[in-house]
Amino acid sequence: MSAITHNVEFLVESHWARMNVLAWSYTDIAESAYDDYMVANENYVPLPEDDDPTEHFESHKNILESSFKTIVFSAMACEAAIFDLAAIQLGDDYAEKYLDKLDIVGKWVVVPKLICGKPLNISGPAINSLRELIHARNALVHHKSLPGLPDSELIRKADKQMSKIINRTDVAFKAVVLLSLELNRVLEVKTGALPFFEADMKSLTEERHSKRIWDVIHRCRKIDADNAIP
């Protein structure tokens, strides 16, 4: 059996003009929360043996709240961005009727390929980070508490339950940056579905990011560059 090759031209829109776009706002909230999370971790107050534990509990609360906001708003940014992208490039009717039924990872895999014939790397750092982010988001959205008056086994279970969420905070914001970088690289245009994190767009965002966030962005740029196929 012989194979038939079809040559197809793809038209990729280079604008992102839509109303009520929220992906950038969600990203800003996630970034601010992630910066707060890193500060809270740097200033963590351990539980004292004999002194007043108030500062410890306040410190722990800051870590939890900033972690949860980072995870939830990062996921919201990714969800909103991929719909905006599909609607701009493929049409609102097509996006709502056929693509909106997919889960968020499926959307990020399918939509770029429909637009330009090339998918994001399904085993690459951006999609893998998105998978971890969605696991953490789902763990928060569908969270189930544990019995009170716990024994030592329940305490270990509770600590493990919360640690699995908190430990994905770093990857949550990185998922947004990595997806933006890989998407723009694959489509060969700055789509605007998510904020820009490329080095040549530094002038647009230089004053918006803290030194901690800049370090994360630089690491993500290197990860994306290493993942790029020559």
Side-chain angles (χ1 to χ4, degrees), residues 8-145:
V8 180
E9 290 189 3
F10 292 90
L11 174 64
V12 182
E13 298 286 355
S14 60
H15 74 88
W16 52 93
R18 289 179 68 79
M19 294 185 291
N20 293 341
V21 171
L22 295 178
W24 283 50
S25 295
Y26 294 155
T27 301
D28 285 345
I29 296 171
E31 178 182 317
S32 178
Y34 184 44
D35 196 49
D36 290 343
Y37 170 80
M38 288 189 282
V39 172
N41 262 328
E42 291 170 4
N43 297 287
Y44 174 68
V45 179
L47 180 65
E49 293 185 4
D50 301 317
D51 295 336
D52 184 351
T54 301
E55 289 188 6
H56 162 75
F57 290 124
E58 184 64 26
S59 174
H60 184 63
K61 176 174 176 286
N62 289 339
I63 290 175
L64 290 182
E65 291 183 354
S66 56
S67 169
F68 297 164
K69 286 174 66 177
T70 303
I71 292 167
V72 171
F73 278 95
S74 292
M76 290 169 67
C78 294
E79 186 93 48
I82 197 61
F83 176 82
D84 294 341
L85 180 71
I88 289 171
Q89 303 290 345
L90 303 170
D92 285 75
D93 289 343
Y94 189 88
E96 291 179 12
K97 187 174 182 180
Y98 298 108
L99 299 175
D100 216 29
K101 297 179 176 65
L102 298 173
D103 63 53
I104 184 171
V105 175
K107 291 174 185 176
W108 274 95
V109 170
V110 169
V111 170
K113 188 169 185 178
L114 289 174
I115 294 170
C116 72
K118 296 182 290 184
L120 302 192
N121 185 346
I122 61 173
S123 58
I127 293 297
N128 282 335
S129 295
L130 178 61
R131 290 189 181 102
E132 288 195 54
L133 166 58
I134 298 308
H135 283 313
R137 190 277 307 272
N138 290 345
L140 285 172
V141 173
H142 305 292
H143 176 71
K144 294 179 176 59
S145 61

